[in-house]
Amino acid sequence: MATDRELTLGEFLRQERERRGITIDQLASATKISTKTLHFLESDHYAELPAKPFIRGFVISYCRFINIDPNEVLQRYEQFILKKAQE
């Protein structure tokens, strides 16, 4: 298993969600983000997602619902998001 440093943003989010026993459907219902969009986020398919500000918003909502600090996550993955948003 990869260490936190090696995880992509999507892998990290999925791992944290699963660790808390939260389903994609529960997350979608609570955050009003479609399950399809959540699957794209968790699998790092950024080409399927809207622009970077929306990705940041999704990450913030996601983190708040599963109870992890969104600022810490965004800070940690800022370069990753930037790179993926440009691809």
Side-chain angles (χ1 to χ4, degrees):
M1 181 134 160
T3 65
D4 283 351
R5 257 187 266 9
E6 296 168 349
L7 294 176
T8 66
L9 174 60
E11 290 167 343
F12 173 78
L13 292 173
R14 185 181 64 248
Q15 185 179 77
E16 291 298 312
R17 175 182 59 76
E18 289 173 349
R19 186 178 293 161
R20 289 160 175 76
I22 298 167
T23 67
I24 281 278
D25 290 334
Q26 289 170 318
L27 184 61
S29 177
T31 60
K32 307 296 186 239
I33 301 169
S34 75
T35 55
K36 185 171 152 185
T37 298
L38 290 169
H39 281 295
F40 287 143
L41 186 61
E42 286 189 353
S43 58
D44 299 301
H45 287 122
Y46 292 88
E48 309 298 328
L49 294 170
K52 184 181 166 211
F54 290 99
I55 296 171
R56 289 178 59 86
F58 294 153
V59 171
I60 290 167
S61 294
Y62 190 120
C63 290
R64 284 185 178 149
F65 182 71
I66 67 168
N67 201 26
I68 55 178
D69 182 0
N71 294 319
E72 194 176 303
V73 173
L74 286 170
Q75 202 171 32
R76 186 166 160 190
Y77 288 102
E78 186 63 35
Q79 291 306 313
F80 181 81
I81 294 169
L82 192 61
K83 182 180 145 209
K84 290 295 185 178
Q86 290 170 346
E87 286 177 1

